[in-house]
Amino acid sequence: MQMGQETIYLLLAVAMFSTIMLAAFLVATLREKRREEPPIIVLPEAQGFSFAAGSAALTPGFEDRLRRLVIPSVRDIGRRYSASVIEVIGHTDAVPRRSGALRSNLDTVLVPLLLGRDTASPIAVDNAGLGMARAVAVARFMRREGLRDFTLVPLSAGPFLKPDDTGVGDGDDAADNARRRIEVRLRRREER
């Protein structure tokens, strides 16, 4: 009888050890999965995600592509990666803007525009501002089309990053439609 109890205790100990090892493996796997980065969605001007020169207004074709192609993909990526923050980044080329006597109104119109409380047209007098105004236009559309459960963060990279994520150098100030694009990056909320 005593031999039977020892066997039971040994089996219980092995089962507990196996359970602990399996739990540790699952926790490590989940941590590794959380470290994976969601893919970046690139909306290049050359593929129809374009704005009129100097404008941040979305064309009907741009809106249609966002609605049919991008927004469903964003929802899917958000779910698969537990991402709750969408960064919409406006990129431009480095051709200087000719703003003349125009004055920027971005400081006063961008936040109300993003939140849907205003319809004023943003006036950007430089490429960094134009990238931001375009990012706000895309983020506003995404919010209006139902991505309210995400935190939408419009950003501007202006002319600083090429499509391959390398920085610009001397002589990179020519018109280049490959550099004019919107990027949509999803990420998880920072843990504190």
Side-chain angles (χ1 to χ4, degrees):
M1 182 92 177
Q2 184 134 6
M3 184 65 152
Q5 285 180 336
E6 290 172 353
T7 302
I8 290 172
Y9 290 141
L10 181 61
L11 289 173
L12 283 173
V14 168
M16 286 177 55
F17 178 76
S18 298
T19 302
I20 291 169
M21 293 304 292
L22 179 61
F25 172 76
L26 290 174
V27 166
T29 301
L30 288 173
R31 282 188 182 143
E32 187 63 32
K33 179 71 175 164
R34 280 200 303 243
R35 277 190 281 238
E36 289 180 17
E37 294 297 321
I40 298 168
I41 301 170
V42 180
L43 312 178
E45 180 176 282
Q47 292 179 10
F49 295 100
S50 60
F51 298 87
S55 172
L58 297 175
T59 64
F62 198 142
E63 289 181 349
D64 181 58
R65 287 174 181 220
L66 284 172
R67 189 179 292 114
R68 284 184 309 104
L69 306 172
V70 177
I71 291 173
S73 182
V74 166
R75 282 192 178 109
D76 180 56
I77 292 168
R79 184 177 56 255
R80 283 189 293 133
Y81 289 88
S82 301
S84 60
V85 177
I86 301 170
E87 295 175 343
V88 180
I89 307 159
H91 295 265
T92 66
D93 60 22
V95 175
R97 300 214 356 99
R98 289 172 180 59
S99 56
L102 290 179
R103 295 179 53 99
S104 173
N105 68 353
L106 300 183
D107 288 340
T108 58
V109 304
L110 287 184
V111 172
L113 192 62
L114 175 66
L115 298 176
R117 295 194 307 246
D118 195 356
T119 57
S121 295
I123 299 170
V125 297
D126 54 33
N127 280 313
L130 182 60
M132 178 58 96
R134 289 176 172 179
V136 167
V138 172
R140 178 182 189 199
F141 183 82
M142 292 174 136
R143 176 179 297 224
R144 194 173 69 220
E145 290 296 310
L147 293 179
R148 290 180 200 89
D149 47 336
F150 290 90
T151 300
L152 285 150
V153 181
L155 302 167
S156 175
F160 294 107
L161 279 177
K162 294 180 183 178
D164 64 359
D165 269 348
T166 59
V168 295
D170 290 331
D172 282 333
D173 57 353
D176 183 358
N177 72 344
R179 288 173 56 190
R180 296 188 296 262
R181 67 199 184 279
I182 296 288
E183 289 183 355
V184 179
R185 298 177 184 222
L186 282 86
R187 65 176 174 84
R188 291 171 208 85
R189 191 170 310 283
E190 297 292 323
E191 295 179 20
R192 294 181 184 186

